């Protein structure tokens, strides 16, 4: 039976619930954290992860990279205790922590990082996130199959105690990147013993504060404290349960009943009620994230026509979405890179926030020029991942596009299936969101780079790619910023996507928890969490 986490939450927040409900919440245990996450983990093999925020939450609890994050989201030593950077900014030498172990007691070595990064970049893994490691020398060539795995610019030295990493060019965000799950090690000894079955519950070993013990598909994943973690004595929790709670209203009910201690991403429509009724538990905070619609630019799709893309952008009424549909729990967006991004000024798509009647007239003209009208209506397939919030936005946008004569067919699926489907290109328009993996504009702009796995719309613009490539070679931060901003404007002028909203973090957190801090990347490792009462 799953243990409930704390009595005070049930007794303080639930005056309106029945005595029977309170009785169910009564058997409290302060050593297990129960989190409601918004989807199913694709795999404990990080090369197979689909990119959901919910996946990051689980993986950061069971694995640890060379560096990790504190509750405020700041970078600190992890599997590496210290490191040296060459004067040209291209060579990093990491000194691994003595005594670091996998959960089966085997040592964590530099070879596990070499093996793990090669595995992620191996073309056979088909990881859509592999591009995050492209700053490493030869990484892209390895990932495309043009170079062998051992050509990757990583090397294990000193009997596995030192990891040497060579980059193609200086990369300002490289240390922050190392906290992301693409840079986690993989237990080479476990893979050699079990092959692809190494991630099964009976075989898996991890090097983080917790290790998996049970996975009930579409229901929950349970992890327990890893006694071999080097800071195990400082980890207060005995375990964590991650419940799949795509029905977010149901998740709120479970939170109020004391069954969940944390609910990630509560519905925006419930914010005011939650703020009025559960003020101590309701968190709303600025976030580095963009909510946008992907436009499929592949040949044969209506949205491959720039005129159609521009028309769709012109009549999207973003303030209506943010202020009315989403009740102020998002900010209206006119760019891909959100405010607050380090060393970057927010750019703006031209012409999409002026006089509405003029925009509508221009959009109708563009649709007509593209060859659509009463005799040839424009039919578009819109896909979104299942949630009331995404459904509301989809319905609102379909209504906004209706005056153009656009007929929108809407299809929804649970998150993992949704992203797998749009990655295959089976859509015209698709809902997507991006939360920063690290605080740098490049992390967002790469979403439109040719050939990248998360470039769902297949957008390809040589000028855009060239600007990103040039920015990757520049050490001067101001010069790099100018190149990245120019690249974004190329994409915005091309109407490569429909920017809609900027995210804020929305979490329900048991007031009796400490070690959970709002931060711009919405990362919250359970390693730091404790119950205060």
């Amino acid at each position: 039976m799953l243990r409930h986490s704390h009595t005070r939450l049930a007794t303080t927040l639930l005056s309106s619930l029945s005595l029977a409900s309170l009785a169910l919440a009564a058997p409290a245990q302060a050593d297990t954290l129960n989190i409601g996450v918004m989807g199913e983990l694709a795999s404990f093999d990080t090369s197979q992860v689909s990119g959901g925020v919910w996946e990051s939450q689980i993986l950061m609890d069971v694995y640890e990279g060379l560096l990790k994050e504190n509750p405020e989201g700041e970078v600190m030593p992890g599997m590496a205790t210290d490191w040296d950077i060459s004067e040209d900014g291209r060579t990093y030498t990491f000194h691994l922590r003595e005594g670091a172990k996998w959960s089966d007691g085997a040592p964590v070595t530099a070879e596990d990082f070499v093996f793990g990064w090669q595995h992620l970049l191996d073309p056979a893994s088909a990881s859509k996130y592999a591009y995050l490691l492209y700053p490493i020398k030869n990484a892209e060539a390895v990932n495309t199959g043009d170079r062998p795995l051992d050509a990757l610019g990583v090397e294990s030295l000193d009997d596995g105690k030192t990891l040497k990493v060579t980059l193609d060019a200086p990369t300002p965000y490289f240390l922050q990147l190392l906290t992301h799950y693409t840079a986690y090690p993989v237990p080479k000894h476990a893979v050699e013993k079990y092959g692809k079955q190494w991630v099964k519950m009976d075989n898996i070993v991890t090097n983080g504060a917790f290790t998996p013990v049970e996975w009930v598909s579409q229901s929950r994943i349970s992890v327990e404290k890893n006694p071999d973690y080097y800071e195990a004595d400082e980890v207060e929790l005995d375990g964590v349960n991650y419940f799949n709670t795509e029905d977010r209203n149901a998740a709120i009910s479970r939170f109020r009943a004391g069954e969940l201690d944390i609910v990630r991403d509560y519905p925006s429509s419930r914010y005011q009620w939650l703020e009025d009724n559960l003020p101590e538990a309701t968190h709303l905070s600025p976030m580095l994230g963009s909510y946008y619609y992907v436009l499929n630019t592949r040949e044969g799709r209506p949205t491959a026509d720039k005129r159609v893309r521009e028309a769709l952008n012109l009549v999207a009424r973003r303030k209506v979405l943010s202020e009315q549909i989403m009740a102020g729990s998002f900010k209206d967006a006119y760019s891909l890179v959100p405010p607050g991004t380090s060393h970057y000024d927010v750019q703006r798509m031209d012409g999409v926030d002026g006089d509405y009647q003029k925009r509508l007239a221009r959009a109708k003209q563009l649709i007509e020029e593209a060859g659509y009208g009463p005799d040839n209506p424009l039919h578009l397939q819109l896909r979104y991942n299942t949630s009331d919030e995404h459904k509301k936005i989809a319905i609102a946008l379909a209504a906004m596009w209706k005056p153009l004569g656009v007929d929108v067919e809407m299809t929804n699926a649970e998150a993992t299936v949704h992203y797998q489907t749009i990655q295959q290109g089976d859509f015209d328009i698709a809902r997507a969101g991006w939360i920063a993996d690290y605080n740098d504009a490049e992390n967002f702009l790469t979403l439109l780079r040719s050939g990248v796995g998360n470039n769902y719309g297949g957008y390809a613009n040589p000028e855009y790619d060239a600007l990103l490539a040039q920015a990757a070679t520049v050490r001067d931060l101001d010069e790099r910023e100018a190149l990245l901003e120019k690249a974004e404007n190329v994409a915005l002028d091309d109407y490569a996507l429909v920017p809609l909203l900027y995210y804020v973090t929305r979490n329900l957190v048991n007031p009796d928890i400490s070690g959970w801090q709002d931060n711009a990347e919405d990362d919250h490792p359970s390693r730091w969490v404790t119950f205060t009462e």
Side-chain angles (χ1 to χ4, degrees), residues 200-266:
K200 299 296 184 183
M201 289 298 97
D202 291 340
N203 304 331
I204 191 169
V205 295
T206 65
N207 71 322
F210 302 90
T211 196
V213 292
E214 189 175 14
W215 187 343
V216 181
S217 181
Q218 297 298 329
S219 177
R220 65 173 167 83
I221 290 174
S222 297
V223 303
E224 63 183 21
K225 181 177 175 179
N226 175 10
D228 285 309
Y229 183 59
Y230 62 92
E231 291 178 338
D233 291 345
E234 299 175 23
V235 178
E236 296 290 335
L237 296 174
D238 285 340
V240 185
N241 296 311
Y242 311 92
F243 291 91
N244 188 336
T245 53
E246 291 198 46
D247 183 342
R248 286 181 280 183
N249 285 306
I252 291 173
S253 297
R254 295 179 69 180
F255 181 84
R256 296 182 66 209
E259 296 173 14
L260 297 175
D261 300 299
I262 293 165
V263 172
R264 300 298 304 265
D265 199 26
Y266 58 77

Side-chain angles (χ1 to χ4, degrees), residues 166-178:
T166 304
L167 308 184
D168 276 326
T171 305
Y173 56 85
F174 185 65
L175 289 177
Q176 195 174 24
L177 171 62
L178 295 178

